[in-house]
Amino acid sequence: MPDSSITKRALAEAMKTLMKQYPMEKIKIGDIVALCNMNRQSFYYHFKDKYDLVNWIYYTEFFEGILGSSEEPDWGMIERICDFFYENKVFYSNALRVRGQNSFSEYFNEVIHPLIRAHFDTVYRNDPNQEFYATFFADSIRISITRWLLEGAQQTPQEFVTLIKKAATGFAYKLIEDEEQSSEPN
């Protein structure tokens, strides 16, 4: 393993340890480097800030594996994301509480949107509103996952995804039913 990777992983472990004890807003770069006996220069050589480090942790521990997968994005992928967050809920709840520029919440949106968009390429082929649909569902799923985690993830990931799926499909069936009824002659 190259030195760069060893350094990044040490910084990541320090950040994960600190986020079990403190809100992300309270953690300083000095805290991170002190925990792994490095200096600030080492940190800034690899990451632009602590948010970049948190995003790197998610990318390397979870998302990188999805990129290598040939499977289509589907409900199973959403469940895998929820499983991962559930297994690491203290860390990701902490990360998702932070809002604003460079936050994990913003990064998570950047990651999930293309996954949903790829799925919609097949569902809404040739529809000029495809981007709108993908954004709508990506935002809905991201916000639902965030709320689920921040409220303590009371349901298992499987139960939670089943609820999301039922909400989406139930609403779709209701819209179709309403559309069919409105198009029937009186």
Side-chain angles (χ1 to χ4, degrees), residues 4-19:
S4 176
S5 185
I6 292 169
T7 301
K8 286 180 174 182
R9 295 211 182 279
L11 292 166
E13 288 305 313
M15 184 64 166
K16 290 190 313 190
T17 298
L18 289 167
M19 283 180 63

Side-chain angles (χ1 to χ4, degrees), residues 76-178:
M77 183 174 295
I78 302 300
E79 192 172 307
R80 283 190 299 286
I81 291 169
C82 291
D83 282 336
F84 181 75
F85 282 163
Y86 192 80
E87 291 167 13
N88 301 282
K89 67 179 152 186
V90 172
F91 180 81
Y92 286 103
S93 293
N94 196 343
L96 286 165
R97 279 189 179 85
V98 178
R99 301 279 189 227
Q101 187 175 5
N102 300 329
S103 67
F104 177 71
S105 182
E106 187 177 275
Y107 178 71
F108 183 47
N109 188 49
E110 291 171 16
V111 168
I112 201 163
H113 185 271
L115 294 175
I116 300 297
R117 178 76 162 91
H119 185 65
F120 278 42
D121 282 345
T122 56
V123 175
Y124 292 108
R125 187 175 287 128
N126 302 324
D127 189 318
N129 297 309
Q130 189 177 56
E131 185 61 31
F132 174 83
Y133 305 144
T135 300
F136 175 81
F137 281 100
D139 287 350
S140 299
I141 290 169
R142 177 184 49 85
I143 289 167
S144 296
I145 289 172
T146 299
R147 178 173 288 125
W148 169 70
L149 259 183
L150 294 182
E151 290 177 353
Q154 300 302 312
Q155 302 94 358
T156 66
Q158 297 75 23
E159 292 167 337
F160 176 70
V161 172
T162 297
L163 287 172
I164 292 175
K165 189 175 181 181
K166 282 183 180 180
T169 56
F171 185 69
Y173 288 134
K174 178 68 174 140
L175 287 175
I176 291 168
E177 181 182 290
D178 290 351

